[in-house]
Amino acid sequence: MPTDVIMPQMGESIVEGTITKWLKKPGDKVQRDEPLFEISTDKVDAEIPSPASGVLQDIKVAEGATVGVNTVVGSIAADGEAAATPKAPAPAPAAPAKKEAAPAPVVQEAAPAAHVSDEDEHARSSPLVRKIAREHNVNLAQVSGSGLGGRITKQDILDFLDKSQSPAATVIAAAKPAPAAPASKPAAPAAIPGDLVPMTQMRKIIAQRMVESRRTSAHVHCMFQADITSIVKLRNKTKNSFEQRHGARLTFMPFFVRAAIIALQQFPIVNASLEGESIRYHRNINVGIAVALDWGLIVPVLKNAGELNFLGLQRGIADLGERARSKKLKPEDVEGSTFTITNPGQFGAVFGLPIINQPNSAIMGVGGITKAPLVVTDEDGNDSIAVRSVVNLTLGYDHRLIDGAIADQFMVVVKKSLEDWSEEVG
């Protein structure tokens, strides 16, 4: 018996997923737990492993299609089993291409609604599509379906009505006096030449959440510059031995995360969130760390970060980043953040003005580490100019919950923790 390949449920709140890419084609051999296809949900992008070894017999759901969890999307024939002829997937619904206008339906005055057999209707359309057809006196046999197996979708019937509306209206209104011609409207601007590419599922989610965040929170930003020369020297001195002992690279991110944790412990309002007209003070510090991917951006969460030492922070950050880039994150890995850190400086930005990651109340942006001349004061109070390693830190905060004085005091603690760093790095 062939083994069904199903759309997995990637978390209790996940009800559907979009197949973004099949990694195998019908007829290919697959091994159990070998990556078979990639999906995108409203939480994560993930590679889905094969449930069995054998030959991919057919693909039932094409790339770009969104289906509910537990939907059968393909099947695998066992080794030695006579597999049926491999079937290619039905094409996924796509944006309508330019094509000739469909012929207008024949409309007669006082004609009864067009009759379509119940069997044909149920085989090729949904109740909503059939209702629209009856209301507009349309024979569904005239409508081309773009859904799976030629099924007529809501968009198909609406496109058909749009194309046939003007000619049909002319037939119906032929016996009536023609109304005065409306004033001519200015021509629509010509489309700018270029390629039109559909947004990916991840891109759609990012766009939606960023707009929602700007609409939800009263965004305010403050920026501080920190002299992290001692941290740069410490990292340069210990990064090789650190990697040899722990098998992980020593990066700058755990320094910034640790400084933020110290400040969050002193100012719990920055770790809180707004719920209606109440404030939720979170017991744990869960730090979301933005990871830039080739195909978008995701924010995995380092849970209970306040309980981790420096080595635990470095390992946790490295693990989340690696699993994000290899599409191994689970839905729970991107849920429950109470504060977020993003690092535009890795690409050369001096600083950024990040958008708050809802439902957090604040986000800290880390700029690029550069060398700059600074005035330094020695123990005797004498000033001099020296070349120092500096970083610009930006705090974006929700002014509904956090006042400017609190935000500034929070950043003073972050700055002091970095400039006076004394913690062992392991």
Side-chain angles (χ1 to χ4, degrees), residues 145-187:
S146 64
L148 193 63
R151 190 174 180 82
I152 300 172
T153 67
K154 176 184 175 183
Q155 192 59 48
D156 292 333
I157 184 69
L158 294 179
D159 289 345
F160 179 84
L161 290 172
D162 286 343
K163 293 174 182 177
S164 60
Q165 188 174 27
S166 296
T170 302
V171 175
I172 294 172
K176 299 181 181 180
S184 60
K185 297 181 180 179

Side-chain angles (χ1 to χ4, degrees), residues 226-239 242 249-263 287 289 302 308-315 317 339 341 343 364 366 369 391 393 413-426:
D227 179 352
I228 60 169
T229 303
S230 60
I231 288 178
V232 171
K233 290 180 178 179
L234 175 63
R235 177 180 176 274
N236 290 339
K237 178 181 177 181
T238 60
K239 63 181 181 180
F242 184 94
R249 291 176 58 244
L250 177 59
T251 67
F252 285 107
M253 183 55 72
F255 292 95
F256 297 116
V257 173
R258 181 59 183 158
I261 289 171
I262 294 171
V287 181
I289 301 173
L302 191 61
L308 300 176
N309 61 14
F310 185 90
L311 179 59
L313 292 176
Q314 176 65 81
R315 284 177 169 169
I317 293 167
F339 181 80
I341 296 178
N343 183 19
M364 187 173 78
V366 179
I369 299 172
V391 63
L393 305 172
V413 173
V414 173
K415 174 182 168 74
K416 181 174 175 55
S417 297
L418 292 171
E419 292 183 339
D420 299 340
W421 186 271
S422 60
E423 187 174 337
E424 292 290 332
V425 298

Side-chain angles (χ1 to χ4, degrees), residues 146-303:
S146 64
L148 193 63
R151 190 174 180 82
I152 300 172
T153 67
K154 176 184 175 183
Q155 192 59 48
D156 292 333
I157 184 69
L158 294 179
D159 289 345
F160 179 84
L161 290 172
D162 286 343
K163 293 174 182 177
S164 60
Q165 188 174 27
S166 296
T170 302
V171 175
I172 294 172
K176 299 181 181 180
S184 60
K185 297 181 180 179
I192 299 175
D195 298 326
L196 186 63
V197 180
M199 295 174 71
T200 63
Q201 186 71 8
M202 176 178 280
R203 193 76 259 159
K204 292 177 185 177
I205 294 168
I206 292 172
Q208 176 186 352
R209 290 182 177 170
M210 293 300 95
V211 171
E212 287 177 351
S213 181
R214 295 290 293 185
R215 188 181 299 121
T216 299
S217 296
H219 280 69
V220 180
H221 294 85
C222 61
M223 188 179 74
F224 281 68
Q225 186 178 78
D227 179 352
I228 60 169
T229 303
S230 60
I231 288 178
V232 171
K233 290 180 178 179
L234 175 63
R235 177 180 176 274
N236 290 339
K237 178 181 177 181
T238 60
K239 63 181 181 180
N240 292 333
S241 60
F242 184 94
E243 185 169 356
Q244 290 174 1
R245 287 198 305 271
H246 306 297
R249 291 176 58 244
L250 177 59
T251 67
F252 285 107
M253 183 55 72
F255 292 95
F256 297 116
V257 173
R258 181 59 183 158
I261 289 171
I262 294 171
L264 290 168
Q265 290 169 337
Q266 296 186 34
F267 297 93
I269 188 64
V270 183
N271 195 53
S273 59
L274 202 59
E275 294 183 11
E277 296 183 349
S278 301
I279 300 173
R280 170 79 64 181
Y281 285 90
H282 301 289
R283 295 177 180 174
N284 298 325
I285 295 175
N286 299 335
V287 181
I289 301 173
V291 177
L293 307 171
D294 291 340
W295 56 93
L297 178 76
I298 197 164
V299 186
V301 182
L302 191 61
K303 303 289 178 65

Side-chain angles (χ1 to χ4, degrees), residues 77-133:
D79 290 330
E81 190 175 49
T85 303
K87 300 177 183 178
K98 292 182 179 179
K99 51 186 177 182
E100 296 181 3
V106 177
V107 183
Q108 301 175 349
E109 294 185 11
H115 176 71
V116 180
S117 68
D118 289 341
E119 181 180 356
D120 183 57
E121 282 190 344
H122 284 79
R124 301 179 58 240
S125 59
S126 67
L128 175 60
V129 169
R130 296 193 291 274
K131 179 175 181 292
I132 295 173

Side-chain angles (χ1 to χ4, degrees), residues 269-272 361-362 395 397-404 406-407:
I269 188 64
V270 183
N271 195 53
S361 294
L395 183 71
Y397 58 96
D398 189 345
H399 210 336
R400 298 177 303 163
L401 193 63
I402 302 170
D403 291 330
I406 296 297

